[in-house]
Amino acid sequence: MADKIAVLIPCYNESKSVGKVVQDMKAALPEATIYVYDNNSTDGTDQIARKAGAVVRYEHQQGKGNVIRSMFRDIDAQCYLMVDGDDTYPAEYAREMCDKVLNEGTDMVVGDRLSSTYFTENKRPFHNFGNSIVRGSINRLFHSGIKDIMTGYRAMSYQFVKTYPVLSKNFEIETEMTIHAIDKNMQVDNVIVDYRDRQEGSESKLNTYTDGFKVIRTIIRMYKDYRPMQFFSLIAAILFVLGTGFFIPIFMKYLNMGVVTKIPSLIVICFVILSAIICLFSGIILSTLVQQHKQNFEFQLQEVNMQYKRLFPEG
């Protein structure tokens, strides 16, 4: 059966807070179905969530990305509200976020923590720094204006959920979702939400350095995949400048003396410049494939819209 609003709560050992999150969401969105997907918790998270009134399901592959893949695959709804089970996001903004999807046709609503209380509430300075770096780099690389890239509080449309290919397995999933929405020209809105730090005794599952590195690696990978012309042109330019810089002294010496004295260096320089040319043409070819993929995506979106109309004839 399809839901009008599905609240999605991925959880791993959130027994201290998941009950309150479920109750708050039921109060804010009484018509919604609350889904808690337990990701191998060992502290009774599933029992507490079920007692609070949530529909509890299980994902045994560890990682937030794996949980979200199962959620998006299993559940049909007009609006999906994703929220973490750690009670850091107030439920009072849920209605506003869902209304933007249901009434204004927004594909993704981002719960923007960084414009409110995040930097004062969050006690992990490297997380603050990392969020700012990720936001700045993605907005520059992809020419967007999204205020919070890594927030776990989002409302999404059926069209977004059913056309989004989940590739990441862990916490880099939010970055991947954001870039997908930007690249596919979907309507994205920001709603400023308050943020509160975790309850005492509740531990974050995010490793500052390991997961931070994964997020940066995801940005680079997706920039290569979604903007291959810019990515490979940049590499080509760097290689060409390096090759030319080392070639000029050899060429000037040849003009003055009439002899090439550094044959091995010249061979290496030729390979560097050749690599630059290969990178440039790789970018051209891959950008053509990306454009073809975007065209195919538009046809896929039409099919998803037809499915949506069959599921929600009144929507």
Side-chain angles (χ1 to χ4, degrees), residues 13 15 45 69 84 103 106 110 113 142 146 171-172 203 206 212 224 236 240 243 248 255 265 280 294 307 309 313:
N13 287 340
S15 61
T45 293
R69 180 188 296 110
D84 292 339
N103 302 327
T106 304
V110 174
R113 312 159 296 168
F142 292 89
I146 297 178
F171 284 100
E172 62 270 28
E203 296 183 0
L206 179 65
K224 172 183 68 69
F240 184 79
I248 289 176
L255 292 179
S265 298
L280 179 62
K294 288 183 178 180
Q307 295 173 6
K309 290 177 181 178

Side-chain angles (χ1 to χ4, degrees), residues 154-171:
R154 298 167 189 260
M156 296 156 288
S157 69
Y158 178 88
Q159 288 82 354
F160 174 84
V161 166
K162 297 304 181 181
T163 58
Y164 165 56
V166 181
L167 301 178
S168 298
K169 298 179 180 180
N170 297 297
F171 284 100

Side-chain angles (χ1 to χ4, degrees), residues 35-162:
Y35 295 92
V36 169
Y37 272 61
D38 185 90
N39 194 205
N40 302 313
S41 296
T42 57
D43 63 349
T45 293
D46 55 342
Q47 298 174 20
I48 295 172
R50 189 177 291 110
K51 187 176 180 180
V55 176
V56 177
R57 294 178 179 175
Y58 298 89
E59 171 53 52
H60 298 292
Q61 292 191 84
Q62 197 65 41
K64 188 174 183 179
N66 291 322
V67 177
I68 291 174
R69 180 188 296 110
S70 293
M71 288 175 161
F72 287 2
R73 179 185 60 209
D74 297 346
I75 299 168
D76 292 325
Q78 286 183 270
C79 175
Y80 300 78
L81 182 73
M82 186 176 75
V83 63
D84 292 339
D86 54 11
D87 194 33
T88 55
Y89 300 103
E92 62 194 76
Y93 302 96
R95 176 66 63 187
E96 179 184 359
M97 295 172 68
C98 290
D99 283 347
K100 284 184 173 294
V101 173
L102 294 171
N103 302 327
E104 300 178 20
T106 304
D107 291 297
M108 177 186 286
V109 182
V110 174
D112 174 18
R113 312 159 296 168
L114 304 188
S115 298
S116 62
T117 57
Y118 181 79
F119 293 109
T120 55
E121 284 287 320
N122 186 39
K123 305 302 188 295
R124 292 154 292 182
F126 284 107
H127 286 201
N128 298 344
F129 177 73
N131 270 281
S132 299
I133 290 295
V134 170
R135 177 178 61 178
S137 60
I138 287 182
N139 284 334
R140 287 185 179 90
L141 291 174
F142 292 89
H143 307 291
S144 64
I146 297 178
K147 303 299 182 182
D148 191 347
I149 304 297
M150 299 178 66
T151 179
Y153 202 11
R154 298 167 189 260
M156 296 156 288
S157 69
Y158 178 88
Q159 288 82 354
F160 174 84
V161 166
K162 297 304 181 181

Side-chain angles (χ1 to χ4, degrees), residues 266-309:
L266 185 60
I267 293 174
V268 173
I269 289 167
C270 290
F271 275 108
V272 170
I273 294 177
L274 180 62
S275 298
I277 296 171
I278 292 173
C279 283
L280 179 62
F281 280 97
S282 296
I284 294 172
I285 294 170
L286 290 173
S287 65
T288 303
L289 295 177
V290 167
Q291 186 63 32
Q292 181 63 50
H293 174 72
K294 288 183 178 180
Q295 294 175 3
N296 293 337
F297 175 81
E298 293 300 320
F299 290 113
Q300 179 189 0
L301 192 59
Q302 292 179 17
E303 294 178 0
V304 170
N305 284 334
M306 292 175 62
Q307 295 173 6
Y308 178 83
K309 290 177 181 178

